Every structure is written in structure tokens, then in C-alpha cells.
Amino acid sequence: MSTADSRSAAGVRVEIDDVQSGALRPRPVPYEGKFIFLRVDDRHAGRALLRRLLPVTSGGLPSADRSQDAWVAVAFTYQGLRALGVPQESLDSFPRAFREGMAARAELIGDVGESAPDRWEAPFGTGDVHIALSALASDAAQLGKELERARVAFEDTPGVQVIWQQEVRQLPTGRTTFGFRDGISHPNIEGVGLPGSNPQETPIKAGEFILGYPDETGSLPPMPTPDVLGRNGTYAAVRKVHTNVAAWRRYLRANSSGAEQEALLAAKMVGRWPSGAPLTLAPEHDDPELAADPHRVNNFLYRENDDRGYRCPAGAHIRRTNPRDSTIIGDARMHRLIRRGTTYGPPLPEGVLEDDGADRGLVGVFLGAHLERQFEFIKAEWINDGNFIGYPGEKDAVAGHHGGTGTVTIPEKPVRRRLQNLPSFVVTRGGEYCFVPGLRALRWLAELED
Amino acid sequence: MTATTGAPQTAHPERPGKSDGVCSEFTVFTKIKPGHADALREDLATLADAADDERVHAAVRQIGTLHDARHVIFDNDTRFMFASVFDGSWDAYIDDFAQTVVGERFDRVFSHSEGFPGVKDPGVKDWFIAHQEPAGVFVSAYPDLTVQQIYKDHRVEEAFEEVLDTPEFRAALENPANAELVATPSFQKLLEEASA
């Protein structure tokens, strides 16, 4: 392994080449990908699999040649680490949220009702998911090559079973099933050498995203032992979320007086127009030209021009989940995430208002060094409550579980508009908390003995 | 005015402490390090100082979930109590508090307690919880109101009072052009509240 360490102004050396590529770098656009879950029935077989996966697992920064951009990432649930025979003392050193798993934390993060774990798609939440593989590439041919290399590693290994697979790909529109471009925001991480998407964001300490480095509090994030296992690792909350696109379209239609109004209402709930142009910079109409400019599409803050949310409502999805410099309760820098959203299923054809029964939505991966302070906090405080922006009890318009009784407040003059009786537009189909080890840690896991 | 929606309550089921509606109580008891009582008393006096008052109230406003808080030295200068009432769960925002002036206060005040790891220590929540004593009874006079809602209600009420006192408002009420609006049950409710 080469040691192309980068060095920040503060002198933090991040061992980029030891960090899995899947953890830090933004996904390609467009993309093709696959998630594969494995169950380890025999720890020796599991370790043998890891030894074969090692050369397939990529570390470091993106390839300069985008046409070669493809990578495989490997992550483990708590049950998976146990199945591989990681010593109990080491297992006990992982943070509580990870040890418990996402299903046990469902109430806390708002996976209730039709999103509750007892209704999740198998094998989510059963304890059978041990290893999560993901492969992403910029086209199908590249993905095929990567998958073939990975498949050789886990095929014909009695004692390790493929128990779930999900293909994801960008829709031809380049947008999510709801019709909005995504994958725009990426944090500016100190000492990593990847550009953040918002030039106005002060770099965030590497320890918010990678274990082994100081975080925003000035402390090292709690790290599992031994050191070789924790260092350069991170955590991933992986979720499959079904989107009810027909309900979304019907709600917009029922609460608007025409196509233009409908587009504006949708943008107010998302915070961006379909092209990706943010309301903060394009408050009246979509602006595809602005959206296509990587230097402008995410170059904004909220406080100076839009503190009260007349352009982008405080309750809009992108403003809630990344409030930047908004006036909120708390400190937004303590709750940054790397988000990796990928789309699955067929699009609902343009204009269709009735559900066609197809399963569609997104497989989201939310990465950071602190599951509780980052993913769980954002779900509990910012998506499922509105107190932090002064709307107690009001949930994220798009991502909240409303059950037909939700409200969303849209600041307007002379008086604000408050929409009522919001249905849920998303349903959680399942999720897992995973540990994404560094490459040396992966080798350590592969070489466990007994 | 009251909260427009139900009680928001973040579920942190593993946390001790009683809740009433949207708010929760949080009380910790610690042992004062031998010989530290006077230094602690001095720190509290400084924090209670009028010069610090504006800064502290600004910080409390920034926190935005704290209803009230108190520090008490008791048991012959050997023990210390911190008690507060928060919106939602206590630990949701504790990492954030550590970054504010309130974090500095916590650091200073609790530095006189035995075993305090420092407010930015990753183990600080566990330390607080280990020293927490849940209330037997906790009751709020306004269980539906968060701090944010109270601020908002206060702002709207002040603005409304200002309108009420203008002759133009009285004239607008009597203007037949506004009769339809004035007759609606929601406007009548507003007038009922404003009539005394």
C-alpha cells in the first residue's frame, strides 16, 4: 500500500489509502450499483472470504479517469463481527447504537407504523445480515467487472451465503423517483483532499467521518479496540426506503392551482428544483443552467439572505437535513453526514397519479464516525421533529412519517401557508448499522485465529 | 396560543428522568472535591454576576431547549446539585451544548466535582447519567409548550397587542367589507381572547 497521506493546515494526517473508497468519495454520476448481503455460518469460511475480498476492496481517492471509476466496499454488522469470531472484549468496545443495531433503535429514529421492523423486508433486522458489500461504478460494464471480481471471492464458499441483493441505478432522467436530482452535497473534510461541494463550508474535522482523528469537539471519536480494528474505519447506516410517488404527486396536485404552483410547492418541500437548483439561489423558477454549474449549485448559506425561510422554508428537506448556518437550536457542525443515495426500481411514468404497485425508492447510505450524534440525531431531531426550527412536532415534509396528519409550514407574505393532513411519502423497508473498517482492519479481521 | 401539533418527544428510552408533555427533568447530584466548596461558590457567584447576565441569557436563548436550571451546594458543602428542565430528551443536544458558552460553564462548575471527565469528553453523558437521580414526580404548568413555542407565542402576542391598540383596527372591524372575515369562528375566537 502506498502512503499518499494528505496533510491539512492543522497538521492532521489522514491515511487516505487505508480508508475504503466507498466511505469517502462521492458516487459517480451516472452510476450503476449493487448491494449484496452475506450471512457467515462458519467463521473460518468468513475469514477465507475476506482474504479473497481484500484485493478487490478499494481504498483511497477516486481514479482520475472517470471511465475507470468503480469500487467495492465491505462493511459488517455487529452480528457479522461476532460471526467472524471477533473477541468479545473487542465487540464490547463498539458503541451501543451499533451493538444494538438499527431495528432495536427503530422507535428512536421514527421507524414506526408501516415502517416498523416487524414489517421490514427480510433479512433486514433479523440478525442474519453479517457482511454488506456494495459495488458502484459509472456504467454497467465497469460494474460487471467489479462484481465479477467480488463474486469470485464469495462464490463456492460453503459457510457463507448470499441472502439479499439489490440493484440500484440512476434513472435515465438523472433524478430520484420523486423527480429530483440528488447526490449534490458532500462535506468539506479536513485533511482528506476531496473538495467539498459548498465553497462556503469551513472544513470539518476528519474525526467526524473517520475513526482515529480528532473530531469537532477536539476529542478522538470513541473507537473500538484493538486500535488496528478501529483506525480509519467509519460507520454506515444503510437503509432501503420505498417511495410512494403517486401519493406525492396526488398531494401536490390537490394542494395547488396549476402546474406552476405544483412545481413550486414540490420545490418548497424539497428545497431544490428538479434540476437541483436550490431555492435559496433560484427562489422563483427552476434554473437548470445554475444547477449544471458545479461551482454554483451548492454555493450558498441560509442566514444572510433567507433567515426566515421565504425562499427555502426551514422545514424543507435539504434545509432540515443540512441546515448550514441557519438559526437553529444547537450546532449544525456537530451533525454532518456523508450521504450516498442510490435509486432502485422503475420510475413511475410521468403524469401518472395512481400507484402501479411497483417497488421503487432509494437505498441510502449515511456515513460518519458517530451513529448516535449524526444519523440518529438527524432522524430524531431534524427529520421527525421541528422544534429546532421553531415548529415543534412538525416533521420533514418529504422524509417524515406523517400518517396523514402531518403539517408543513411555508413562510409567505402576508401570512405563512400551512399545509395539513400530509400522508407519508416514504416507507422504511429495512436498515442495518454497519462498521466500515479500514483496509488494515479488514486484513486483521481476515487473519483472526482460532 | 398553544402548540399547533402534538407533543414532540424524542424517544431515548434508555435515559432516566421523568417527562411531562414536551419537557423532561434532569437532576444530578455529585460529590464536591474536598476543599473545593469555596472555589465552587466563587465560580457560581461569578456566573450569577450581573455582568455575566446578558451573555448567559444569550447562551440560554441559543440553546433554545432549556426552560430553567439551578445549581445548589448542600450537605455542609460536601455535595452539589444541578437541576434543569429541557424540551425533548436531555442528551439530544448535549454534544452541541459542549460547544457553547454553557459548555464552558459546565466545565468550570463541575470541575469541582469528583470524577468529572470534562464536558467535551466522549464519556461525559455516561458520567452525568451515572450521577442522575430521576424525580419521583415531575409536573409542568404548560406541558404542551416548548421553549421555542413560548418564544414564538410571546412574539405573536406582543405584535397582536400592538395592533389591538390602534384605532385603525377598530375601524377595520366595523368596516362592512371585512364582515365575512370577522364572522368566521376563528376570527371570533381571536376577538374573544382579545376582549378583556
Side-chain angles (χ1 to χ4, degrees):
Chain A
M1 189 190 319
S2 77
T3 46
D5 299 336
S6 54
R7 186 179 290 269
S8 78
V12 172
R13 280 171 67 250
V14 177
E15 297 169 312
I16 297 291
D17 286 354
D18 194 47
V19 179
Q20 287 197 47
S21 298
L24 286 181
R25 64 186 186 184
R27 64 158 163 69
V29 178
Y31 61 89
E32 294 266 346
K34 193 164 192 173
F35 291 87
I36 301 168
F37 289 167
L38 304 168
R39 190 185 67 225
V40 176
D41 296 325
D42 174 280
R43 63 183 183 279
H44 300 286
R47 294 167 191 167
L49 162 86
L50 290 188
R51 285 194 289 276
R52 289 195 297 277
L53 268 179
L54 259 168
V56 183
T57 309
S58 14
L61 296 178
S63 149
D65 179 357
R66 296 291 282 178
S67 70
Q68 299 300 306
D69 213 8
W71 67 85
V72 169
V74 188
F76 304 86
T77 62
Y78 175 77
Q79 299 299 339
L81 294 176
R82 228 172 59 157
L84 283 164
V86 170
Q88 191 61 42
E89 189 191 351
S90 175
L91 291 172
D92 290 343
S93 68
F94 280 88
R96 179 175 181 154
F98 174 72
R99 282 184 278 123
E100 293 185 351
M102 195 186 285
R105 314 279 287 183
E107 202 182 319
L108 170 77
I109 61 175
D111 282 333
V112 294
E114 53 180 350
S115 288
D118 57 4
R119 301 177 70 170
W120 284 0
E121 175 181 321
F124 282 109
T126 59
D128 278 354
V129 181
H130 292 164
I131 301 178
L133 295 181
S134 68
L136 267 180
S138 43
D139 62 55
Q142 278 296 330
L143 180 71
K145 257 190 265 176
E146 287 301 308
L147 281 176
E148 185 52 31
R149 293 173 66 204
R151 205 169 52 78
V152 170
F154 61 75
E155 207 179 48
D156 302 326
T157 309
V160 179
Q161 301 294 326
V162 173
I163 56 170
W164 184 82
Q165 304 190 55
Q166 178 73 59
E167 286 178 4
V168 293
R169 66 173 51 86
Q170 192 166 55
L171 296 176
T173 54
R175 294 171 185 178
T176 66
T177 53
F178 282 133
F180 290 79
R181 185 178 146 210
D182 70 344
I184 297 168
S185 250
H186 188 80
N188 184 352
I189 308 168
E190 195 173 281
V192 161
L194 275 172
S197 55
N198 180 2
Q200 300 187 52
E201 182 173 66
T202 315
I204 292 176
K205 297 285 182 210
E208 291 293 316
F209 304 98
I210 313 162
L211 300 178
Y213 307 91
D215 65 18
E216 286 285 317
T217 68
S219 305
L220 288 173
M223 203 164 86
T225 55
D227 196 72
V228 63
L229 175 61
R231 187 166 295 278
N232 296 322
T234 189
Y235 295 95
V238 181
R239 287 165 74 72
K240 180 177 177 180
V241 176
H242 170 79
T243 50
N244 195 340
V245 178
W248 166 254
R249 290 180 185 168
R250 283 199 305 272
Y251 190 80
L252 294 173
R253 180 69 54 90
N255 287 279
S256 308
S257 59
E260 207 175 313
Q261 268 254 314
E262 204 175 304
L264 180 61
L265 176 59
K268 290 282 187 185
M269 287 157 78
V270 173
R272 291 186 189 271
W273 296 94
S275 72
L279 282 180
T280 310
L281 300 181
E284 310 278 343
H285 305 283
D286 199 353
D287 186 345
E289 202 180 307
L290 186 159
D293 183 344
H295 301 294
R296 291 162 70 206
V297 66
N298 204 36
N299 187 355
F300 63 93
L301 297 172
Y302 292 110
R303 197 176 289 208
E304 192 176 331
N305 299 312
D306 195 24
D307 198 37
R308 301 293 289 268
Y310 292 117
R311 291 172 169 222
C312 180
H317 177 65
I318 69 154
R319 188 162 172 165
R320 278 176 176 267
T321 53
N322 181 12
R324 304 176 189 226
D325 66 332
S326 297
T327 307
I328 56 164
I329 292 175
D331 180 350
R333 292 172 65 81
M334 302 295 289
H335 313 283
R336 287 289 274 139
L337 266 183
I338 296 173
R339 297 147 214 275
R340 199 76 39 74
T342 54
T343 297
Y344 75 87
L348 186 66
E350 197 82 25
V352 172
L353 294 179
E354 290 307 315
D355 189 35
D356 62 358
D359 190 15
R360 60 174 59 86
L362 61 102
V363 177
V365 179
F366 306 91
L367 292 140
H370 305 268
L371 278 172
E372 290 186 42
R373 165 145 75 75
Q374 294 167 333
F375 174 74
E376 292 193 339
F377 178 96
I378 291 172
K379 281 290 290 169
E381 297 295 323
W382 289 357
I383 290 180
N384 293 330
D385 192 8
N387 191 44
F388 79 114
I389 46 174
Y391 304 137
E394 193 170 291
K395 297 174 184 173
D396 186 306
V398 184
H401 295 288
H402 303 290
T405 61
T407 64
V408 55
T409 305
I410 300 173
E412 268 177 17
K413 284 177 176 168
V415 289
R416 53 110 173 112
R417 186 173 180 210
R418 182 167 282 158
L419 300 176
Q420 311 280 355
N421 304 325
L422 241 72
S424 297
F425 302 117
V426 298
V427 181
T428 310
R429 291 275 198 248
E432 296 287 345
Y433 287 154
C434 297
F435 175 62
V436 188
L439 297 182
R440 277 195 299 268
L442 205 51
R443 183 170 301 282
W444 181 85
L445 287 166
E447 291 172 355
L448 283 171
E449 279 170 17
D450 79 333
Chain B
M1 253 166 277
T2 57
T4 49
T5 44
Q9 192 68 150
T10 306
H12 275 277
E14 73 271 23
R15 299 306 191 203
K18 284 251 181 340
S19 298
D20 187 13
V22 295
C23 40
S24 310
E25 57 84 21
F26 178 73
T27 314
V28 291
F29 296 95
T30 73
K31 276 193 186 135
I32 298 171
K33 289 176 183 166
H36 276 248
D38 284 340
L40 172 58
R41 193 171 282 115
E42 218 164 285
D43 279 345
L44 293 179
T46 312
L47 295 176
D49 195 277
D52 208 42
D53 186 73
E54 200 175 318
R55 193 162 157 262
V56 170
H57 278 101
V60 168
R61 194 162 259 279
Q62 186 193 345
I63 285 175
T65 57
L66 177 65
H67 289 260
D68 55 60
R70 80 200 67 172
H71 300 275
V72 180
I73 299 170
F74 69 110
D75 237 1
N76 245 344
D77 280 4
T78 59
R79 297 175 74 202
F80 178 64
M81 179 194 83
F82 171 78
S84 63
V85 176
F86 283 88
D87 289 328
S89 70
W90 167 81
D91 59 337
Y93 285 96
I94 198 68
D95 296 303
D96 300 38
F97 295 169
Q99 305 296 95
T100 70
V101 60
V102 171
E104 290 167 30
R105 287 166 67 92
F106 267 55
D107 243 359
R108 188 160 159 192
V109 167
F110 281 101
S111 71
H112 302 294
S113 289
E114 283 181 1
F116 183 64
V119 77
K120 291 192 178 186
D121 187 279
V124 74
K125 280 185 189 178
D126 294 335
W127 187 85
F128 275 121
I129 284 155
H131 290 79
Q132 183 176 358
E133 204 55 61
V137 175
F138 169 58
V139 61
S140 169
Y142 43 85
D144 293 333
L145 292 176
T146 61
V147 172
Q148 291 303 307
Q149 200 69 45
I150 290 166
Y151 286 157
K152 166 98 176 173
D153 290 359
H154 186 57
R155 286 197 303 270
V156 172
E157 209 270 336
E158 269 187 341
F160 182 53
E161 294 280 346
E162 216 175 291
V163 171
L164 284 183
D165 294 339
T166 61
E168 290 83 357
F169 181 70
R170 188 165 287 273
L173 285 182
E174 286 158 7
N175 187 338
N178 293 328
E180 203 181 330
L181 171 68
V182 171
T184 59
S186 49
F187 203 90
Q188 285 297 315
K189 196 157 77 185
L190 192 66
L191 290 181
E192 176 70 30
E193 288 299 333
S195 62

